[in-house]
Amino acid sequence: MGVIVKTDYKKMLVNDCVRPYLLKARYGIEKESKRVDLFGNLAKTDHPKSISLRDDHPYIQRDFSELQMEIITPVTETLEELFNYLAAIHDVAYRSMGENEMLWPLSMPPQLPEKDEDIVIAKLKSAENVRYRQSLSHSYGRRKQMLCGVHFNFEFGDEFIQALFNAQSEIKDYQHFKTEIYLKVTRNYLHYRWFVTYFYGASPSSEKNFFEEDSLNKVVRSIRSSKFGYTNSDDVQVSYSSIQNYVSDLSLMVKRGLLSAEKEFYSPVRLRGGHHVSDLEDHGISYIELRNIDLNPFGNYGIIYEQAEFLHLFLLYLLWKDEGENCDEWVKMGDFYNDIVALEYPLEHTQFEVKAKNMIDEMEQLAAILNLTVSDTLFVNLKEMLMDPSKTLAGRLYTESEKSSQGQVATCIAKENYKKSWDMPYQLAGFTDMELSTQILMFDAIQQGIQVEILDRQEQFLKLKLKDHVEYVKNGNMTSKDNYVSTLIMENKTVTKKILHQHGFRVPKGEEFQTIEQALRSYDLFSTVPFVVKPKTTNYGLGISIFKEGANYEDYQKAITLAFKEDSSVLVEEFLKGTEYRFFVLNDKVYAVLLRIPANVKGDGKHTIQELVNQKNRDSLRGSDHRTPLERIQLGELEKLMLKGQGYQVDSIPKKDEIIFLRENSNISTGGDSIDVTDQIPDDYKKIAVDAVAALGVKICGIDLIIENTEVPADNKNAYGIIEANFNPSMYMHIYPYKGESRRLTMHIIHYLFPELLQSQSN
Amino acid sequence: MGVIVKTDYKKMLVNDCVRPYLLKARYGIEKESKRVDLFGNLAKTDHPKSISLRDDHPYIQRDFSELQMEIITPVTETLEELFNYLAAIHDVAYRSMGENEMLWPLSMPPQLPEKDEDIVIAKLKSAENVRYRQSLSHSYGRRKQMLCGVHFNFEFGDEFIQALFNAQSEIKDYQHFKTEIYLKVTRNYLHYRWFVTYFYGASPSSEKNFFEEDSLNKVVRSIRSSKFGYTNSDDVQVSYSSIQNYVSDLSLMVKRGLLSAEKEFYSPVRLRGGHHVSDLEDHGISYIELRNIDLNPFGNYGIIYEQAEFLHLFLLYLLWKDEGENCDEWVKMGDFYNDIVALEYPLEHTQFEVKAKNMIDEMEQLAAILNLTVSDTLFVNLKEMLMDPSKTLAGRLYTESEKSSQGQVATCIAKENYKKSWDMPYQLAGFTDMELSTQILMFDAIQQGIQVEILDRQEQFLKLKLKDHVEYVKNGNMTSKDNYVSTLIMENKTVTKKILHQHGFRVPKGEEFQTIEQALRSYDLFSTVPFVVKPKTTNYGLGISIFKEGANYEDYQKAITLAFKEDSSVLVEEFLKGTEYRFFVLNDKVYAVLLRIPANVKGDGKHTIQELVNQKNRDSLRGSDHRTPLERIQLGELEKLMLKGQGYQVDSIPKKDEIIFLRENSNISTGGDSIDVTDQIPDDYKKIAVDAVAALGVKICGIDLIIENTEVPADNKNAYGIIEANFNPSMYMHIYPYKGESRRLTMHIIHYLFPELLQSQSN
């Protein structure tokens, strides 16, 4: 033990059995930033109340100070997922802060208060955590704590390490082998980290009151990564030669009082595994945390995809690359080199340029030999940054700042990020390909501190977890709360109607037919009454014919034939007159009622219909393909036909305040307007909706009632009729209606699934 | 009140608004028969224990005697449904009695015991009901009670009566109008019922010990409908002139002691509405019960469809047909006429032949005028029976009996009915178009006294009701017990695997791909290991490729392309070696484990493969299209290819005891064998199945485990792997396995849904 077995990683890495797993890894990011007001001044507010204030919030916490927001991604197995979460949690953070705050994009803080005490320590619930922060402020001063950065957590895929393990015979113990891998990578990372600092260092200068006196009076690549950053005293020395030495050195530092706790050891790489440092000895290293990453001002989230890809590749390269004989010396040299690079003028070439060039070439060759797929631009950009220091992050930030000031540049960037998050407030960045209701639900879950795992992205399948409580959700509101057969009932129009009828609710009378002949024989039943012909199971309006005043035999026959083209069963039923309302019922309560109005424009006496449509379509709520709360109005054949029927064309100019309908049907998907009328609908109709849903045994339901006149009591004969019950009702249309109040149904779903959230809030 | 308003039904019936509803009606049948042994002797056993013994069993009860079985259909809106239920309940009755009993097909009992007391009164739970039977046996003697017949309950459709009501203006009160309709029809039915007796009377002679002395020493059309049948004393006279007179006369008869209770009034038509006769006055008549129908020996169920159709048409005709001025006289004449016809010699022409001929013609004309659809044969048969009395039921039965004896004829018919019910014991007559598991579940539900309503026949959607407890079931085991999202989890192979994996179960490792390119890039992961390529969502084996020893790139590419033809997502996963077992888990318990073996035959050294297949296919368990527990083995292209691979052809003769496989896959649907191994599978594997199903949050599940060796403990590394969890697992294959014990899963489902059944049984 303690002796480093020289294992030939170069040979192992090219082994055929290792090859399939080379890029398997797990990632996690913690990213700190400071909340500022819209002028770039440190926020004076508390952490947003809309975010669950638990100290153990999985995604959004406070760091040292109350105004330091820490964004924590879950562990992911791909970089795509990692950045999706990073984007999403940022969206939640932004919109939870409200419209008067934004996040400072730099590692270096904006102007600090003159008095150290004016930097407010995070108001955490745990007294111990507050005490620890107080002790830090004594040792290092609060202003140093205002440095922010990214911690990049990295774990090699287990299959990868397993394959490497199988490809060698020197080390017999798997855990030992794994630990050796991480130790080698860590030592090499510490030695070569100047390389990272050169490209991605991004803290060239400080704002007012950061340094007590002007201790650093030059512009550099990275204050944060240099000895002027947040570092332990020089006396703190820890060996990375073996896990035993690492652990015993650390505990010695604590014993000697050089560190108040092991977690106060601010190494650029932290070895991770288990809750306590001492666990490392028993369980080995499970992953490493790279802590020397400055916030990238030019990415939206403090770090960009290419950087993360670089880091992964760099770590693989460091595993491959030989290290120095003397471990401790090797690491120490790294500190020395890094300080040189960190303190270089950002626009000057680094003195390690030749070495850096070699390393880039080696990395590129390694990627080629191992047949690794990396972004095309990765090596191009590295080379460019090496040749032209003004292209490095520090170089770019400094160059930009010269035009105005670093503070102004940062404020400007912050505002862009802010704007991006607020532009389409219904979307969740990173997941905009998913259904809108699911995006909003995920937003709410993240805000409430519920862990969100995507089990199947195409299928909108989520796993939500709060402590030990797990709930699975598909499509936003298909949950464990509903029973299976009730959803099957709703899927079947005939069965739904039968059950509602048996419970005394009014449903359109009608018959179901399996053959055209059978349907034709029943013509007499419908010839003189208003009726609808529709396929039994389709949902998209196809094959539906409405006869508001009965029909002659020929038309009846046509309609039947049309419907049978869509389904093998066809319903012919009574047509109910009145207005259709969608009631959203959740756990025996109506949370929203929506009126849907067919696509329309309102004349102003000046503009053509075409122009009015264009105007209306400019609303950011309107888009296409259900990824916005409303759809753009089309001016296709159907709309033109509808206009023609009213004596209009697209270039007609309607009179002021005249409403021109462009569609017969009121679907949101064909440009219809959604109008929240929850507060306008009388309680007796809400009771009908609730009772009908209960009769079906359903907990989450969108039920459609036709009401002729809401002022007539619901128990009047034929006051209402129930048209349909939907087992996966759209939620976003209630949350972002065209007119009327927003009803945050997704949050109600979350609270229904996790009632403990409300209990803990009321505590 | 009491005055009969002469309403012109002839005019009303041809009204255009009435026309669509002319044949709308509701029906119900009660049919009594006696249990006999296989030789036609009265059974000495108790009512079958397998039938729930509740006095209020909705379908199968005891009548006067313990050996009298009464079969009661639910109320239906079509005659098709009515006869479906009648057939189904008979099937349940037959198979519940066991293989040593059958039902006597005649109204007249077989030879009775010499002593009246040897006829055992029904052993009902209610002491009151037993007392009533005892009082009847005092008044009428027990042998008279052994007469059996059919009661036909008939209600005009409400839309029909409503339309008639709207087509007249004489009667203002709807309920009054409705009652008048039924009164007119009843008076006319009582007057003309000789017409029914002529055609369908079917009790020409009695067996030994029915009559105390030989009071009737001739052969007739219907003993049961004559004064020798089960009738009240002549003093019992009740007027049908109005509902008030009817009710007051009845209560007078009871007051005078001529009847022990109103229900002892044995009129050929009973007016129905409410629980007590007195309710009729308040609520009017809701339907009528025709009680003068002898058991039709030549139908399987005591009455045939054409008879019921006749009765409906006859009642419509009687509504149309004028009645006599003096109501009571008119009814009394009916009794007189009927007794004449009932006591005519069955092979002689009736003395009312001319009148009957007129009535048939009138009915036929009415049907034509009203454009009613009736069976083509109805009028043909009536006319034929009128011309040739030997074609009437009494005529046929008597003619047949002359060849041997009435008892022998009846025994022979009973045996045929018996055989029909036992031939395919997995089927439920009347519903053989439905899925097999649903048929068996319906059987069990009927047996347990649960009301079964079919909400959607094509969709196998049932409503089950026991007192106030309603459960909906689709496809036999999709119920309220499972939650929605758990079934969605099972529907999604990727999500199922993820969750099982997260809970520590072994599932095949693998990846999901959305594009061919993506899949091809991962070739390295699978090139050298056993693996399967399969579409994500299809279930029928299409697009699946198995590579038991890895694959070259070209074959991999082909398999991927094939799979993507079936679905937009494709899974590539590790192939697990071992035997696949299906575990049926219900509410955290394994109720059955099944091994499925690919289609095969076993050589005998004599027959060709073709012959062996034919032999095996003769098993009545084998059929086609999932309507039998096993499917017939095909000898199609795939099978021939498989034979060729083994060096055989269809005309090869395999050696004795050699097993020849005809398929690679073990699906029952392609001729595979099902073998119950529930008792052979060790408990630790059952626990894996139960725990895995619980991890998915599921209550009813068919979960497939691959086990390499069941003798190795389940907690050994890679001892098992979970392949799939099915949310609507087939049940019939466990209930009727090719080999091994039957596991009555449908009954377990019933008891799971209605736990109160087990409680009441243990009471």
Side-chain angles (χ1 to χ4, degrees), chain A residues 29 83 86 152 200 296 298-311 381 393 396:
Chain A
I29 281 178
F83 278 85
L86 193 64
F152 187 76
Y200 302 118
N296 179 340
F298 306 106
N300 298 314
Y301 312 116
I303 177 169
I304 64 167
Y305 185 92
E306 195 175 286
Q307 264 179 286
E309 208 182 8
F310 163 80
L311 287 171
N381 288 342
L393 293 188
R396 284 167 69 190

Side-chain angles (χ1 to χ4, degrees), chain A residues 67 77 84 134 143 154-155 165 211 266 324 332 410 419 427 463 533 540 574 596 600 625 643 667 757:
Chain A
L67 56 76
E77 300 198 344
N84 288 339
Q134 277 160 349
R143 34 204 87 231
F154 180 85
E155 178 181 352
F165 179 68
F211 288 118
Y266 299 122
K332 216 162 192 171
K419 198 171 164 311
Q427 281 190 350
K463 174 181 175 181
V533 176
Y540 297 96
E574 171 184 19
R596 282 166 291 183
N600 67 82
D625 202 24
L643 283 177
N667 300 46
L757 281 171

Side-chain angles (χ1 to χ4, degrees), chain A residues 433-488:
Chain A
D433 57 309
M434 297 185 78
E435 287 180 4
L436 209 47
S437 296
T438 294
Q439 289 182 50
I440 304 171
L441 183 85
M442 287 172 69
F443 182 101
D444 292 348
I446 290 172
Q447 197 180 49
Q448 294 290 303
I450 290 168
Q451 286 177 269
V452 178
E453 182 184 341
I454 295 170
L455 295 176
D456 191 325
R457 188 156 177 152
Q458 279 74 27
E459 299 285 317
Q460 327 289 326
F461 222 125
L462 306 181
K463 174 181 175 181
L464 303 180
K465 188 161 186 265
L466 181 61
K467 292 183 181 147
D468 289 337
H469 179 179
V470 172
E471 292 283 347
Y472 300 99
V473 179
K474 187 174 185 297
N475 292 350
N477 56 27
M478 294 151 100
T479 73
S480 68
K481 296 291 183 178
D482 269 308
N483 80 63
Y484 188 25
V485 84
S486 284
T487 62
L488 296 170

Side-chain angles (χ1 to χ4, degrees), chain A residues 714-725:
Chain A
D715 57 4
N716 270 33
K717 193 171 182 240
N718 295 352
Y720 74 90
I722 300 177
I723 296 296
E724 219 173 83

Side-chain angles (χ1 to χ4, degrees), chain A residues 79-304:
Chain A
L79 287 175
E80 284 76 12
E81 259 187 283
L82 182 75
F83 278 85
N84 288 339
Y85 274 105
L86 193 64
I89 302 166
H90 268 91
D91 251 10
V92 177
Y94 259 106
R95 289 187 225 134
S96 300
M97 291 189 294
E99 301 196 25
N100 296 319
E101 287 187 11
M102 49 193 200
L103 292 177
W104 189 248
L106 306 185
S107 281
M108 298 306 291
Q111 176 177 334
L112 291 178
E114 285 186 17
K115 288 189 205 155
D116 209 47
E117 313 85 75
D118 288 349
I119 297 173
V120 182
I121 285 176
K123 299 170 180 173
L124 301 177
K125 290 196 173 161
S126 146
E128 191 198 327
N129 286 338
V130 173
R131 255 199 313 279
Y132 177 65
R133 278 163 178 71
Q134 277 160 349
S135 85
L136 291 181
S137 70
H138 291 306
S139 323
Y140 302 86
R142 298 189 182 187
R143 34 204 87 231
K144 271 280 170 73
Q145 307 287 346
M146 297 301 281
L147 281 170
C148 287
V150 165
H151 297 182
F152 187 76
N153 293 287
F154 180 85
E155 178 181 352
F156 284 116
D158 195 53
E159 294 123 313
F160 171 65
I161 299 183
Q162 193 80 52
L164 284 178
F165 179 68
N166 295 337
Q168 56 89 50
S169 55
E170 287 83 0
I171 301 181
K172 308 291 179 202
D173 179 72
Y174 180 67
Q175 183 183 303
H176 178 204
F177 178 77
K178 188 168 159 183
T179 292
E180 286 305 319
I181 283 184
Y182 283 117
L183 281 174
K184 174 177 178 185
V185 166
T186 300
R187 290 188 300 257
N188 258 352
Y189 189 85
L190 289 168
H191 183 81
Y192 289 113
R193 75 180 191 275
W194 59 266
F195 192 69
V196 178
T197 304
Y198 173 79
F199 295 110
Y200 302 118
S203 45
S205 59
S206 65
E207 304 294 324
K208 209 173 157 193
N209 297 332
F210 179 74
F211 288 118
E212 301 223 354
E213 50 211 279
D214 241 2
S215 39
L216 179 73
N217 49 9
K218 63 172 186 170
V219 177
V220 299
R221 299 201 197 276
S222 176
I223 296 174
R224 180 173 165 277
S225 310
S226 78
K227 63 183 175 195
F228 296 99
Y230 192 57
T231 52
N232 300 117
S233 85
D234 286 345
D235 300 337
V236 175
Q237 294 292 342
V238 173
S239 169
Y240 290 83
S241 59
S242 75
I243 200 69
Q244 290 75 16
N245 292 345
Y246 176 81
V247 171
S248 67
D249 282 359
L250 254 183
S251 82
L252 190 67
M253 295 298 125
V254 174
K255 219 178 272 171
R256 285 203 196 148
L258 291 166
L259 297 175
S260 71
E262 284 151 345
K263 67 178 167 181
E264 202 193 315
F265 177 52
Y266 299 122
S267 164
V269 183
R270 198 174 266 180
L271 307 179
R272 303 302 296 253
H275 283 293
H276 302 282
V277 174
S278 59
D279 292 340
L280 285 170
E281 234 176 321
D282 298 336
H283 305 297
I285 302 170
S286 16
Y287 67 97
I288 54 175
E289 178 186 350
L290 310 183
R291 301 162 53 88
N292 66 325
I293 320 290
D294 284 355
L295 290 184
N296 179 340
F298 306 106
N300 298 314
Y301 312 116
I303 177 169
I304 64 167

Side-chain angles (χ1 to χ4, degrees), chain A residues 456 463 482 484 502 536, chain B residues 456 463 482 484 502 536:
Chain A
D456 191 325
K463 174 181 175 181
D482 269 308
Y484 188 25
Q502 288 179 354
K536 184 172 171 193
Chain B
D456 191 325
K463 175 182 175 180
D482 269 307
Y484 189 24
Q502 288 178 356
K536 184 172 171 193

